[in-house]
Amino acid sequence: MIRQWQDYPLRTGILWMGRYRINRFLGMGSYGQAYACTDMETGRTVLLKRNMPSKKELGRLLLERESRILQELRHPRIPQWIRYERRGRHEALIMELVEGDNLEHKMMAQGRTFSLLESLRIVKELLQTLDYLHQAGFVHRDVRIPNVLMQEDRIYLIDYGLSCRIGERLPEPLRSGLKETEPAAAEADVLAGSSWSAVKRRMRVPVPASDLYGLGHLFLFMMYAGYVPDEGQGERGWEEELALPQAVTHFVRRLLGQDEPGWHSAALCGQELRELMNRLRS
Ligand SMILES: Nc1ncnc2c1ncn2[C@@H]1O[C@H](COP(=O)(O)OP(=O)(O)OP(=O)(O)O)[C@@H](O)[C@H]1O
Ligand SMILES: [Mg+2]
């Protein structure tokens, strides 16, 4: 109960931290809240991400980490870091606002579906951004449909709240707060089955392949948005249900680590995807 009112979104129209006018509440994740605001000092419209009051120190640590990582990144499809604000108990990460909707909203709220080639194009764009991120030494670890924004045909990768350096072991308070298990346990999950929590744990292993794995699931989510199950038909695996061209199925199974070989980089994966798309078009 207390948690609910503590985390109640800021009211539209108020001036926050004496500087940011709240224009729109955009979303509430597990640890943060995002708002579109006007920075009254610069007149610029920005994105303000605030730590969730009830999450106390964990929420604050995550936001601060996200800020430090975002500050190091400079890429046309990653929101640009602007500044980090601290006023008493309140902290906020200010970044470039991308006008557009996230893929989850497009699919769930707007009923948008994506063709095979459209979905592959989105995967291809994300591979370019991931290649940049991995070369900069980071793993995103949360490549999912709510964390991808579409602005006309531009595809942005957002939410670096769970990102870390390649191979990094998070500091203890974060590991226990986020309930992160040992990599070996995550591998065992994959072998044991594919519950969503097992999928998430696999996505959190701090290696670039985790982002390709997330991308494989993201692609399947997009294809399932347009899938109508046959009545009376029991549940089958995605390979059978989606009945994609064989080369695409193999490509996705490689992203998911279910077929060999994997890729040494997102760039090589993107290169193969481009060739695959050319073959599909001809
Ligand atoms: N730079 C941005 N421009 C436009 N919209 C954004 C931006 N960043 C976030 N959003 C919107 O706000 C939503 C929530 O932001 P984000 O994904 O960063 O945090 P979160 O998922 O709420 O928090 P957590 O760190 O707990 O996962 C996004 O799904 C997106 O719709
Ligand atoms: Mg998010």
Side-chain angles (χ1 to χ4, degrees):
M1 184 67 169
I2 288 181
R3 191 165 285 187
Q4 272 170 6
W5 63 254
Q6 266 191 339
D7 293 341
Y8 202 79
L10 302 173
R11 213 159 15 96
T12 301
I14 65 159
L15 194 64
W16 178 245
M17 291 183 155
R19 176 162 183 178
Y20 303 96
R21 197 188 60 219
I22 307 288
N23 298 336
R24 212 155 20 105
F25 174 53
L26 294 176
M28 173 134 73
S30 342
Y31 303 98
Q33 293 175 343
Y35 300 87
C37 301
T38 305
D39 178 346
M40 302 307 280
E41 276 186 30
T42 62
R44 216 177 140 183
T45 309
V46 294
L47 185 288
L48 182 151
K49 196 167 166 177
R50 164 196 186 217
N51 60 321
M52 206 105 96
S54 74
K55 301 286 169 171
K56 303 219 167 83
E57 189 60 4
L58 180 62
R60 211 188 55 72
L61 280 173
L62 283 170
L63 192 67
E64 220 180 26
R65 267 180 74 86
E66 179 172 7
S67 174
R68 267 187 272 120
I69 293 173
L70 206 56
Q71 196 172 2
E72 287 192 41
L73 305 174
R74 200 165 281 267
H75 187 274
R77 297 294 176 265
I78 295 177
Q80 185 59 50
W81 179 90
I82 299 177
R83 75 184 77 84
Y84 195 75
E85 293 280 11
R86 274 194 196 89
R87 309 263 164 107
R89 287 186 299 123
H90 305 296
E91 306 205 359
L93 166 59
I94 315 295
M95 69 180 93
E96 172 195 358
L97 178 81
V98 177
E99 292 292 354
D101 291 311
N102 71 52
L103 288 180
E104 181 175 66
H105 185 79
K106 280 205 176 290
M107 294 186 326
M108 312 289 180
Q110 300 172 358
R112 173 88 147 80
T113 57
F114 297 89
S115 71
L116 172 61
L117 275 171
E118 273 177 308
S119 307
L120 289 175
R121 185 189 73 85
I122 291 173
V123 170
K124 187 188 71 171
E125 302 282 327
L126 289 170
L127 279 166
Q128 288 182 14
T129 311
L130 286 172
D131 184 50
Y132 164 81
L133 186 71
H134 297 161
Q135 296 228 31
F138 296 100
V139 193
H140 187 279
R141 301 206 309 159
D142 203 15
V143 177
R144 294 186 298 120
I145 48 173
N147 294 333
V148 174
L149 292 179
M150 226 176 147
Q151 183 195 64
E152 291 164 22
D153 59 358
R154 288 181 286 275
I155 306 298
Y156 287 79
L157 182 61
I158 62 162
D159 196 353
Y160 295 76
L162 293 177
S163 303
C164 70
R165 288 217 160 264
I166 295 172
E168 178 181 356
R169 188 185 161 91
L170 298 192
E172 205 37 60
L174 279 182
R175 282 178 67 77
S176 46
L178 292 172
K179 299 187 183 64
E180 300 219 332
T181 49
E182 298 298 322
E187 297 293 345
D189 278 340
V190 176
L191 295 173
S194 58
S195 71
W196 184 236
S197 67
V199 168
K200 277 199 169 170
R201 271 198 293 274
R202 173 62 191 85
M203 270 166 59
R204 306 285 190 255
V205 182
V207 295
S210 301
D211 289 341
L212 303 192
Y213 177 83
L215 206 48
H217 279 280
L218 176 139
F219 170 80
L220 292 180
F221 264 98
M222 296 189 70
M223 294 312 299
Y224 267 106
Y227 173 73
V228 185
D230 276 346
E231 267 191 51
Q233 177 69 264
E235 198 185 305
R236 299 166 292 162
W238 66 267
E239 290 93 334
E240 245 190 281
E241 288 185 338
L242 296 176
L244 301 167
Q246 204 191 343
V248 177
T249 300
H250 181 51
F251 179 82
V252 177
R253 287 184 56 88
R254 286 172 71 190
L255 285 176
L256 297 174
Q258 293 169 347
D259 274 357
E260 294 288 329
W263 290 279
H264 285 298
S265 70
L268 289 172
C269 179
Q271 177 60 36
E272 269 195 50
L273 178 54
R274 268 191 296 280
E275 289 160 15
L276 170 60
M277 290 171 74
N278 286 339
R279 271 183 274 131
L280 289 173
R281 283 196 200 97
S282 62

